[in-house]
Amino acid sequence: MNAVSQLKGRFGNYGGQYVPETLMPALNELEEVFSIAIKDENFKAEFYDLLQNYVGRPTPLYEAKRLTEHYKTGKILLKREDLNHTGAHKINNALGQALLAKKLGKKRIIAETGAGQHGVATATACALLGLDCTIFMGAKDIERQEPNVFRMKILGAKVQAVTNGAQTLKEATSSAIRDWVTNVQNTHYILGTASGPHPYPIMVREFQSVIGNEAKEQCLRKYNKLPDCVLACIGGGSNAIGIFQAFKEDAGVRLIGLEAGGLNENKHASTLTKGTPGILHGTLSYLIQDQYGRIPEVHSISAGMDYPGVGPEHSHLKDIGRAEYFSITDSEALAGCKLLARLEGIIPALESSHALAYLDKLMPQIKSDQIVIVNLSGRGDKDIPILKQYL
Amino acid sequence: MQKKLLIPFFSAGFPELNSTAQIILELHKLGSDYIEIGLPHSDALADGPIIQSASAVALENGLNIDILFEQVSSIREQIQTAKLILFTYYNPLLVYGLAKALQKWKQAGGMGLLVPDLPIEETKEILEICKKENIKLIFLIAPTSTPERIKRIAEISEEFLYLVSVTGVTGARSLVNESLKPIIEQIKQVKPSLKVVIGFGISNVETAKQALNQGADGVVIGSAFMKILQENGSKAACNLLNEIKEQI
């Protein structure tokens, strides 16, 4: 485990476990069960069997020829996480953690969700494994990601509307943590991103690393070389860390994360490019905060990236210069979304559209023999209520 | 019988920005053994609805850590024997600068610090600064704490140890968990001189007595005090404390 002390869950200075004492025994137990499970052949076989036969993995690494033609250089490959069952990468982690919950003997599951993708994935995993499921979702997100709310309910989950503060992902996460503090004895919290207190960042990374492992193998097999750049959008950072992980040791591969630039300099969720280190939801990482360490409302058109924090490993990768992070505005993301829809017949999630939008800036620097992989983390069906305003 | 400890908690800057000093004076006058002063935070994970909504009002009122230090400082001469504990989440301290925050708290007249989202694993840095400034760091123990953790926490605790009565967030409840007795006994075995106070859920004389019957040395009263403060003002809220004080 490079760059992270397994014991303390640190990535450089970042990470840690800043939670009430009530949760510490549960985190310790989770760490122990997780560290045994990832070495257990039976657990791995069960997990990979589900990924293959239920989720539909491996997902294709699709060569987007018309999109490449548009930029007239290089080669653009899309890692099609949008083709996963439930429509995004979130299912990889939700299934892994739901299997762990069974090992922990916990029958009740809670989760937070922003875009609703993690909520749907968790509701799906709970239906499959017979677990009771409650999803916390901000009231604003319930409105803008309506299709996913119905999906969760059809799957048998309770959707708990969170009505305080900005009524988005931050508040949903806080409510989930408060529920966990209250019901920790019978409840497992399936945190949806590679953030939160240790062991969540390494656990979520582990369950999402299948993305990068597949992409690397697919790229090498078909093109006999590694990609030159790997792009991924970043809210909390789980799809990004999932694809970056396989390439972290390959110094020649540029790793680029794209954050929510929102509307302008004051209304955004660009945590890594505009934030400072601080603690939110149990972890020390870059954070959008004021001079007194209080966290204001942030903004993104994509509910999944409308979050003032980010996973601690991304903060470390930024500081050591291994990954680069840039900001993409709402309107740039919308343009990226439309471009892919028109050229390739794929409607990407607004989150993933941030990664696609960066191609406009990146491709002019790309040589004809270079390969760029974009992690297409999810599909855009859930964004129809928003997209219809911008047709 | 030894006198039991009465420890009120209140959120600073509520209901008005300048309510803080007046409330401290009233709490001191009625004979509080320690006074916990909550610094409102935007993301208070251990707070229940009453304290969360008070925090939102206090932040809206413009309270911040600098103003709180000034408010406490301004009455320092009048409350020299008061034992003031700053109750704050870790991020506001970290961003302000741990050393600077603790130094200013000491200068303002503070003696203790309680950080609900700082488990023992993460306290190394702040403990060193607390030692330097002679500020007591108060630890929490929960019903979920394992015997091994209870031992470790009791060993490094000073003044008193705060036993959370339930798994959950702050807030008044009608009953106090009855399974706390073995935890208190274990703490006393590790460190007989250490006082154990129960908080989260103490709302009236009855729940205070339930807590003390399990062997606790005192009670913390927060949400119940804040609720009356909000509805009927500080005089009525202090009446609740007086009533409890008389009966324990």
Side-chain angles (χ1 to χ4, degrees), chain A residues 79-136:
Chain A
K79 182 58 177 163
R80 298 291 308 274
E81 291 301 297
D82 60 315
L83 293 178
N84 282 327
H85 177 45
T86 72
H89 71 291
K90 294 290 188 188
I91 190 74
N92 304 327
N93 169 55
L95 279 172
Q97 284 199 48
L99 288 175
L100 275 186
K102 292 203 99 169
K103 284 200 170 288
L104 289 158
K106 305 246 168 120
K107 301 252 189 300
R108 179 174 177 265
I109 297 293
I110 55 169
E112 84 296 342
T113 198
Q117 288 303 115
H118 176 57
V120 169
T122 302
T124 300
C126 288
L128 179 70
L129 298 174
L131 299 164
D132 182 73
C133 180
T134 301
I135 305 292
F136 292 88

Side-chain angles (χ1 to χ4, degrees), chain A residues 286-312:
Chain A
Y286 276 85
L287 189 60
I288 295 173
Q289 57 187 337
D290 69 13
Q291 58 170 320
Y292 290 108
R294 300 170 312 197
I295 295 125
E297 284 184 24
V298 294
H299 167 82
S300 170
I301 192 171
S302 64
M305 292 162 74
D306 195 350
Y307 183 68
V310 68

Side-chain angles (χ1 to χ4, degrees), chain A residues 26-207:
Chain A
L27 290 175
N28 290 337
E29 187 191 11
L30 182 59
E31 179 183 11
E32 193 187 323
V33 170
F34 166 69
S35 60
I36 293 167
I38 51 162
K39 290 180 214 129
D40 175 19
E41 291 306 323
N42 291 330
F43 181 87
K44 284 197 284 189
E46 194 179 1
F47 180 50
Y48 285 107
D49 178 68
L50 282 176
L51 289 184
Q52 187 181 346
N53 298 308
Y54 185 71
V55 176
R57 303 205 71 95
T59 57
L61 186 68
Y62 164 73
E63 187 174 335
K65 291 192 173 135
R66 297 235 307 143
L67 188 64
T68 300
E69 263 170 43
H70 173 81
Y71 291 109
K72 300 184 177 68
T73 183
K75 200 182 289 296
I76 299 168
L77 309 177
L78 304 178
K79 182 58 177 163
R80 298 291 308 274
E81 291 301 297
D82 60 315
L83 293 178
N84 282 327
H85 177 45
T86 72
H89 71 291
K90 294 290 188 188
I91 190 74
N92 304 327
N93 169 55
L95 279 172
Q97 284 199 48
L99 288 175
L100 275 186
K102 292 203 99 169
K103 284 200 170 288
L104 289 158
K106 305 246 168 120
K107 301 252 189 300
R108 179 174 177 265
I109 297 293
I110 55 169
E112 84 296 342
T113 198
Q117 288 303 115
H118 176 57
V120 169
T122 302
T124 300
C126 288
L128 179 70
L129 298 174
L131 299 164
D132 182 73
C133 180
T134 301
I135 305 292
F136 292 88
M137 189 168 187
K140 182 180 169 190
D141 292 337
I142 285 179
E143 199 177 311
R144 62 178 164 171
Q145 308 280 207
E146 196 184 25
N148 274 343
V149 178
F150 293 124
R151 293 169 76 196
M152 287 182 262
K153 287 182 177 170
I154 290 168
L155 290 160
K158 287 184 275 296
V159 180
Q160 185 73 46
V162 178
T163 53
N164 59 326
Q167 311 188 4
T168 60
L169 183 53
K170 184 186 82 164
E171 290 77 21
T173 307
S174 295
S175 293
I177 293 174
R178 288 191 187 108
D179 181 295
W180 201 32
V181 174
T182 308
N183 300 302
V184 62
Q185 275 128 331
N186 72 350
T187 299
H188 174 63
Y189 175 25
I190 301 190
L191 182 57
T193 194
S195 192
H198 175 70
Y200 282 100
I202 56 164
M203 185 167 70
V204 176
R205 181 185 71 191
E206 177 69 26
F207 292 138

Side-chain angles (χ1 to χ4, degrees), chain B residues 27-47:
Chain B
L27 293 175
H28 181 57
K29 197 174 149 207
L30 69 81
S32 302
D33 295 286
Y34 296 86
I35 299 170
E36 282 184 18
I37 306 172
L39 174 68
H41 184 46
S42 57
D43 294 82
L45 291 181
D47 289 355

